[in-house]
Amino acid sequence: MDLAGKTVVVTGAGRGFGRAFALHAGRMGARVFVSARTLAAAQKVADEVAADSSARVDAFACDLADPATVRGFAERVATHADQVDVLINNGARYLEGPDLWDADDEAINDTVASGATGTLLTVKHFLPLLRTSEGADVVNLVSSAAEAQNHRSQAHPAFYAAKAAQAGFADVLSHRLRPEGIRVISLYPPDFTDGDPLHSTWDHASRTAEDPLTAQSVLDCVLFAIGQPRDCFIRSFHFEQL
């Protein structure tokens, strides 16, 4: 699909899927804004995007567990752009450990705040810019951990809680924003491999059912959903697991 002339915002863009999407958005002609917990991490990806495609890209620090930085991120983007066409909610802290005692209180609080509250506040503060778009898409990278009775992950219960909250928010948000023509698309992937979008051919034919899910496959799902006509509201992608 073509993102030429579109404005794309990606949270958690310092690595993995966020970085991959930023690179592809740049190649497709988008105006790109990326954020990460540290400005250095976001700027590194912004430099990669600019070198790869010569796209216009700006980097910002945004700690999703800190409401002030989320609000500041949206305010600063608003000084550069009149609208946002695609918002990728990718940033969230992953926390490992099957037992509640595997993490301290601060880590638990940070995990829930970044994954749940952070997503809610990001959408809240970018909503004015989304509403000025002729057809905006909000994309949430949730997790298979948010699926009912999915106990495969070794993630900490706080991560499960954060993703369940994120999924619930996305569900009601989709219903309430549909009358405005804003689509809310949520993906529930299991763990997937990052790969390297700068140094890979991403050969579709080489992937088989025995291979782990890749970031590129998840990215392809997003591009498919946002590329549909505006009467098509794809609410979610769920993935079969090995």
Side-chain angles (χ1 to χ4, degrees), residues 3-241:
L3 289 176
K6 302 291 187 181
T7 300
V8 174
V9 173
V10 186
T11 69
R15 57 186 175 82
F17 174 83
R19 171 178 173 267
F21 195 91
L23 284 160
H24 276 262
R27 291 174 182 176
M28 293 175 180
R31 171 75 165 97
V32 184
F33 296 94
V34 296
S35 76
R37 280 206 171 193
T38 68
L39 180 57
Q43 190 60 57
K44 182 175 183 294
V45 172
D47 292 343
E48 287 183 290
V49 172
D52 180 58
S53 62
S54 298
R56 293 178 62 201
V57 55
D58 285 286
F60 301 92
C62 178
D63 181 351
L64 293 171
D66 181 349
T69 70
V70 176
R71 186 169 56 252
F73 175 38
E75 290 172 350
R76 293 185 66 190
V77 170
T79 66
H80 296 274
D82 296 327
Q83 67 186 51
V84 169
D85 302 293
V86 181
L87 171 62
I88 306 292
N89 287 312
N90 175 65
R93 175 173 177 170
Y94 179 77
L95 189 62
E96 191 170 10
D99 190 89
L100 273 173
W101 288 95
D102 289 333
D104 59 31
D105 293 353
E106 289 71 21
I108 290 171
N109 183 71
D110 188 65
T111 299
V112 175
S114 65
T117 309
T119 298
L120 193 154
L121 291 178
T122 298
V123 176
K124 174 187 176 181
H125 291 294
F126 275 102
L127 194 53
L129 290 174
L130 291 164
R131 282 176 166 153
T132 61
S133 170
E134 293 183 359
D137 290 302
V138 177
V139 179
N140 304 300
L141 263 291
V142 189
S143 167
S144 61
E147 295 176 323
Q149 299 182 348
N150 186 323
H151 305 139
R152 290 185 175 95
S153 175
Q154 290 300 301
H156 191 275
F159 182 78
Y160 272 87
K163 289 302 179 178
Q166 190 182 41
F169 170 61
D171 182 66
V172 70
L173 191 69
S174 178
H175 172 73
R176 293 184 180 179
L177 291 184
R178 176 166 183 156
E180 300 182 46
I182 298 175
R183 299 186 295 201
V184 179
I185 303 156
S186 298
L187 291 90
Y188 296 77
D191 295 340
F192 56 87
T193 61
D194 287 346
D196 187 345
L198 277 179
H199 304 102
S200 172
T201 59
W202 296 108
D203 182 8
H204 286 68
S206 68
R207 300 180 227 161
T208 70
E210 288 74 32
D211 294 321
L213 187 68
T214 67
Q216 178 62 32
S217 292
V218 178
L219 191 154
D220 288 341
C221 291
V222 174
L223 295 178
F224 173 80
I226 66 178
Q228 297 307 300
R230 297 308 301 184
D231 63 344
C232 179
F233 282 67
I234 298 174
R235 292 188 59 174
S236 61
F237 287 86
H238 295 263
F239 300 78
E240 186 63 66
Q241 301 185 54

